[in-house]
Amino acid sequence: RRMSIGSEIDESNKAERRRRSETAAHMADEEQRRRMAEIDTLRSEEDRIREQNRSYAIQAADGEQARRMEEEGLYEAAAASERVQRQEWASRQLEEEHMRRALEREEQLNQMHAVLTRNIHDYVAHRETSMAPRRRLRNHLVKRLNKLVGDIWSTGSIVLYGSGHT
């Protein structure tokens, strides 16, 4: 009987150990599932945070791009404004230069006109003085010829033509 009691105790111990082993295996499986679920939850949270950070980074990059484009647009507008101002300045300078040159040409023409007028007056005065003796001589000659022709022909007269009067 002792053996039978020892055998029963062994069987009972084995059964208890098996039950405890099964319970421990079941508890280990439950713990593993719980930890896996927790890991999945943490991964999902990390993915959500990563996606959120990525979205923030994209928004920041888009904002920076928009800011830079606006800044570049302002710079280009300022540069265009400066170009327009420079062109207007250059146009004014060019117009002033044209006006200066026109006035200079007009002054030169006035000076040339004055010099030419003076030269003409000087020439005419010189011509008058240099031609006076010739005119006196020619007039004297015409008077003598008129007298001679009048002595020969009573109705005859002499008339000068051509450049004699000029």
Side-chain angles (χ1 to χ4, degrees):
R1 193 163 194 269
R2 223 183 217 264
M3 271 204 170
S4 101
I5 294 180
S7 184
E8 283 178 21
I9 291 176
D10 277 345
E11 285 296 317
S12 167
N13 282 342
K14 282 184 186 178
E16 182 63 25
R17 275 195 300 243
R18 211 179 354 234
R19 187 183 62 76
R20 283 184 185 175
S21 179
E22 285 174 2
T23 302
H26 177 67
M27 293 296 274
D29 286 344
E30 285 295 316
E31 181 64 19
Q32 185 179 11
R33 277 193 288 277
R34 185 189 68 76
R35 286 184 180 181
M36 291 299 284
E38 190 176 317
I39 288 172
D40 287 344
T41 302
L42 289 175
R43 282 186 182 154
S44 294
E45 182 65 19
E46 284 177 359
D47 288 345
R48 185 188 65 76
I49 290 171
R50 190 177 299 115
E51 188 60 34
Q52 186 178 22
N53 289 342
R54 186 171 170 248
S55 174
Y56 290 153
I58 289 172
Q59 286 176 352
D62 289 346
E64 178 65 14
Q65 183 180 12
R67 184 193 66 77
R68 285 184 180 181
M69 288 176 68
E70 182 179 343
E71 185 178 284
E72 186 175 324
L74 292 175
Y75 174 75
E76 287 178 7
S81 174
E82 186 177 336
R83 276 194 303 275
V84 167
Q85 288 175 350
R86 285 183 181 180
Q87 287 173 346
E88 289 172 353
W89 177 82
S91 293
R92 282 192 308 271
Q93 294 295 80
L94 188 60
E95 184 65 29
E96 288 174 8
E97 181 64 17
H98 286 305
M99 292 293 286
R100 185 189 68 75
R101 286 184 180 182
L103 289 173
E104 188 177 283
R105 279 192 299 272
E106 186 175 338
E107 180 64 29
Q108 286 175 346
L109 285 174
N110 288 339
Q111 288 176 357
M112 287 170 43
H113 183 265
V115 167
L116 184 58
T117 301
R118 189 174 57 244
N119 287 346
I120 289 172
H121 288 295
D122 289 348
Y123 175 75
V124 168
H126 174 70
R127 184 89 172 135
E128 286 291 324
T129 57
S130 66
M131 292 303 288
R134 283 183 156 181
R135 282 192 189 115
R136 279 193 302 271
L137 191 62
R138 185 179 55 229
N139 287 339
H140 179 66
L141 181 64
V142 169
K143 281 181 188 177
R144 279 184 58 199
L145 283 174
N146 259 333
K147 187 175 183 246
L148 185 65
V149 167
D151 288 345
I152 299 175
W153 298 283
S154 63
T155 60
S157 69
I158 294 180
V159 176
L160 290 176
Y161 67 91
S163 63
H165 290 290
T166 59

